[in-house]
Every structure is written in structure tokens, then in C-alpha cells.
Amino acid sequence: MSKTAHIIGAGVSGLAAAVRLSDAGYQVHVHEATQQAGGRCRSYFDAQTGLTIDNGNHLVLSGNSHVINYAKSIGTEAGLVGPARAQFAFADVKTGKHWQLDLGDGRIPTWLFDASRRVPDTSVGDYFALTPLIWAGNDKLVGDTIKCEGVLYDRLVQPLLLAALNVDPPEGSAGLAGAIVRETLLAGGQACRPLIARSGLSDVLVEPAIELLRKKGAGVHFGHELRGYTMAGERVSELKFGEGDVIALGADDVVVMAVPAWSAKNLLPGVKTPTEMRAIVNAHFNYVPPAGHAPLIGVVGGIVEWLFAFHNRLSITISNADRFVNVPREEFAQQIWDEICKVSNIKAPLPAWQIVRERRATFAATPAQNALRAGTRTEFKNLFLAGDWTDTGLPATIEGSIRSGDRAADMALGKA
């Protein structure tokens, strides 16, 4: 008899686990409580702007091996597009200064020794001052590990770590920050090319996975919320869904629970989960970018942090955004648009816009919250956890999310 894998949750962590287990010969069933896949990594049509937008702007780097391998496995690697070299445009709202960080395309960070490729007004020594992060423990604060001041911090380190940790960097986990530095700046340009799903997150990371799973005979069930389960010894023996639907598990069947932290806590009362979440704000504007506009601009000194240019819209991201959750929408949209106009040299009235405020976007990547992340294994031999909130060794990123799904699948297969 074939082995069956039940994946609870159709976000990218669950889909990654589903694809991996399907490839290994399991009969896969994906159970999603809502009516759409993708979780916080999805696209949808927005009537206010008349555009298909992403619920969050997500940047992938060429060194994000789990994301890249997942995209390859579902045939969408070409949908992640970016420059041939690891080049990042930056702009300072207050001074009007623009510059480009050029990390090149090699494995060794030789760009450090070329002033024209570094952050302006920084020296090689400034970068070596970041080395304590590389071996810092997860119990250490970024603010106690490096100096959170100076030109390099303001123009690169703060924007990078803020986006990755979703907390004010000084209060963030130095261990998680070190993981980011090791996998980006220290890995050379070959690991740092910025990649964006230009046609939308769902088109690149979600819908092709659903289509592939269905072609391979998998079941994908929407509006199918797990409500509970039955235990038999050290295994889960039944899954209980809404409307009295009960599924009995065979001796070799496995379950991957890839749900948000608060859902996992409700379903598995004994599991550790982060308890403090932070918001992220994204805003989208129906405005065609000027010719030659950089696909991504890091913005310093203002409200906006990252500006994304798609073929038919301009979109921004603001991390650690609890302070903006209750700002009046019209006023906030105008403030953001004014900054975009400064950065992009645009003279135009506020176009059709949409603001998406994710109040519980990620866990707060502080040492205390990082210590609450659960591992992949549970007390049940056939139940495994996945999600960017689990202990992936990274902050809550797409790479961490897909890595967690891969790890859960590998453990279910006895490979880890």
C-alpha cells in the first residue's frame, strides 16, 4: 500500500514539503483552512488599483538555495528575475544622494577593496567591524555585538537587518543577524543577486506547485481546516477536520503541520512558539515606473525602506511597522507617494493605491523570541512542524520558510 502524507497548510513551507514528499512517492493531500494557497506569499487582484498585487513584497537572493531549488522543482526558476550582477541601488530621502552597492558576481567579497563599489564614505575597516556578528550567539543582541551607528550602519547594515529581522536591529538576535551576514555579504556577489517574482508571487511560487501536485495525483483541499487529532501511542492516528470529517492514518502515514505559530499553539498546546509578532506594511501604486528605473531601491532616511519597480506599478515595503498600523490610510498613502516621487524623480499626483498592513507578519526576531521557536520534530513520531517561525536558523524569510518545509519532508523520509 502507498504511503500518504497530509500537509496541513498551503503556504510555501507546506507546498515545499508537499512537492518533496510527492517526488519521494507519497500520496500527498494538502489541507488549507482558507480558500487560497500561499499564505503571506501570494498574489490577488485588487479592485482599488485595478492591478494584481502581492500581499507582501518579497526579495529573494541568488544564494537562497532552498528557494532556488524549490523553484527548479516546480519549473519556475526563470520567473525569479534580476540583474546579472549583485548590484543594489540606494537613495537617501533627506540628502537626495543616490549610490550603488556593487557586490559583483564572484564567491569572494573582493568588492570590499574597491571604494567605487562600496557604500560611499566607508572604509574596509568599517566592514571588518561587523565580524563579531559572524560568530555571535543567539542569546546576544545586535546592539551589544556591533556599533549601531555610523555611515555604514545607516546606509546598509540598518536597512539590511531591519528587513531581515523585522525589528529595530539593536534589539534583534545577533545570531540570526550573523546568519544573514554569512549567507549574503560574506558569501560574495554570487549569493547576493536580488531576484523578484516579476509576474507575481503566486505565478512563480504557489500556483505552479499546486498544478504540479495535482498532475501527480495529489489532493489539494481548500476550506479544510484541521480542528484536532487522535493519538495512539507515539503517533497521530486520526486527523479531525471541520464538519465532522475524520481521516484515519495508516502505520506509515505522516503529517506535516505547516501553519502559523498561533494555529500550531492551538493545535499542539505543548509546543513552543514565538508570542510576539511584528507588522509589515506594503503599499502599491498604479503607476508605470519611469524608463530606466532600478528594479529595487533601498531607501534611507524616510518612511519607505525598499522600493520595488514592476512593469505596471511601484510598490514599497516598511518593516517593524507597528507604529504605522493605525495611521489614516489616505494620509499615509500620500506620505509614501511623496517619498517615492523624491526617490524616483517623479512629478505626478497620487495615483490609485492600496496599502496592505500585515499586523502579524513575522515573529519579532529578538533573542527571547528566537528561543521560543520549536524544532521540526514533535512528541509524535509521524508529525513534523514547518513554517518560518520554526527553528530554521534564519529569521522569518521565504528561504527559512521553504527550508523548514524541506527539513520536515526529509525527517518524514528518515533523511535527517
Side-chain angles (χ1 to χ4, degrees):
M1 296 179 63
S2 64
K3 300 177 182 179
T4 300
H6 293 277
I7 313 299
I8 313 302
V12 291
S13 57
L15 293 176
V19 169
R20 211 171 184 94
L21 288 167
S22 179
D23 288 344
Y26 274 76
Q27 173 63 47
V28 169
H29 288 277
V30 179
H31 309 274
E32 169 56 45
T34 69
Q35 295 297 327
Q36 64 276 324
R40 290 187 295 102
C41 182
R42 62 183 176 85
S43 312
Y44 61 94
F45 178 77
D46 174 63
Q48 184 167 318
T49 59
L51 300 171
T52 295
I53 62 176
D54 297 324
N55 67 329
N57 297 308
H58 293 274
L59 177 69
V60 173
L61 296 179
S62 53
N64 292 159
S65 60
H66 287 265
V67 177
I68 301 301
N69 289 335
Y70 168 72
K72 287 180 179 177
S73 72
I74 61 175
T76 61
E77 184 187 10
L80 294 170
V81 298
R85 291 170 61 89
Q87 296 174 325
F88 295 82
F90 283 87
D92 189 320
V93 172
K94 293 180 179 178
T95 66
K97 189 179 183 72
H98 288 251
W99 67 92
Q100 180 173 263
L101 178 69
D102 184 357
L103 307 184
D105 55 8
R107 295 179 179 274
I108 301 173
T110 55
W111 58 274
L112 286 172
F113 305 98
D114 185 342
S116 67
R117 296 168 61 186
R118 296 195 302 261
V119 173
D121 307 316
T122 63
S123 67
V124 175
D126 294 330
Y127 296 83
F128 281 110
L130 302 178
T131 55
L133 282 177
I134 297 171
W135 55 77
N138 286 330
D139 60 333
K140 301 297 183 182
L141 293 169
V142 171
D144 291 336
T145 307
I146 61 170
K147 289 184 177 181
C148 295
E149 59 184 20
V151 174
L152 180 61
Y153 178 79
D154 293 341
R155 294 181 177 177
L156 178 61
V157 177
Q158 194 269 355
L160 173 65
L161 295 186
L162 178 60
L165 301 175
N166 201 26
V167 297
D168 189 25
E171 69 169 321
S173 163
L176 293 178
I180 295 298
V181 171
R182 288 193 300 274
E183 296 191 18
T184 56
L185 299 178
L186 200 62
Q190 57 88 30
C192 295
R193 282 197 308 114
L195 304 173
I196 298 172
R198 285 285 173 78
S199 61
L201 292 168
S202 289
D203 280 354
V204 179
L205 298 177
V206 179
E207 295 305 329
I210 298 291
E211 182 179 354
L212 177 64
L213 287 167
R214 284 176 167 157
K215 282 183 178 179
K216 298 181 72 172
V220 182
H221 315 281
F222 294 106
H224 207 221
E225 181 180 4
L226 182 67
R227 301 288 179 82
Y229 49 88
T230 301
M231 300 166 288
E234 296 180 316
R235 302 180 65 83
V236 174
S237 59
E238 290 181 332
L239 297 175
K240 301 177 181 180
F241 295 89
E243 300 182 355
D245 186 11
V246 178
I247 297 176
L249 303 185
D252 295 321
D253 293 352
V254 298
V255 180
V256 175
M257 190 177 290
V259 297
W262 51 91
S263 297
K265 189 70 172 179
N266 290 334
L267 290 166
L268 295 168
V271 74
K272 293 194 308 179
T273 65
T275 56
E276 183 182 345
M277 313 301 287
R278 294 290 173 88
I280 294 178
V281 170
N282 292 274
H284 308 273
F285 299 85
N286 188 339
Y287 189 90
V288 176
H293 193 289
L296 175 70
I297 300 177
V299 182
V300 175
I303 297 172
V304 173
E305 290 161 9
W306 296 94
L307 170 60
F308 296 77
F310 296 88
H311 73 281
N312 61 351
R313 75 180 192 273
L314 290 167
S315 299
I316 66 93
T317 293
I318 305 170
S319 298
N320 193 30
D322 288 11
R323 64 197 184 281
F324 294 122
V325 165
N326 296 316
V327 174
R329 290 170 58 83
E330 290 278 354
E331 171 189 328
F332 196 24
Q334 187 64 61
Q335 289 178 330
I336 293 171
W337 181 246
D338 289 345
E339 283 199 5
I340 291 175
C341 288
K342 289 181 182 179
V343 169
S344 302
N345 195 25
I346 293 170
K347 295 182 179 179
L350 179 66
W353 55 271
Q354 182 60 273
I355 292 176
V356 182
R357 300 190 246 213
E358 291 276 358
R359 292 173 182 265
R360 298 189 293 182
T362 75
F363 75 93
T366 63
Q369 291 298 304
N370 187 52
L372 296 175
R373 301 170 79 181
T376 306
R377 296 189 187 277
T378 69
E379 60 183 308
F380 308 115
K381 289 188 175 180
N382 63 336
L383 174 62
F384 306 91
L385 296 176
D388 62 10
W389 61 271
T390 62
D391 188 10
T392 64
L394 291 174
T397 61
I398 289 184
E399 173 70 4
S401 186
I402 293 178
R403 181 181 296 183
S404 76
D406 288 344
R407 182 178 294 171
D410 286 345
M411 286 187 177
L413 295 169
K415 295 181 178 180

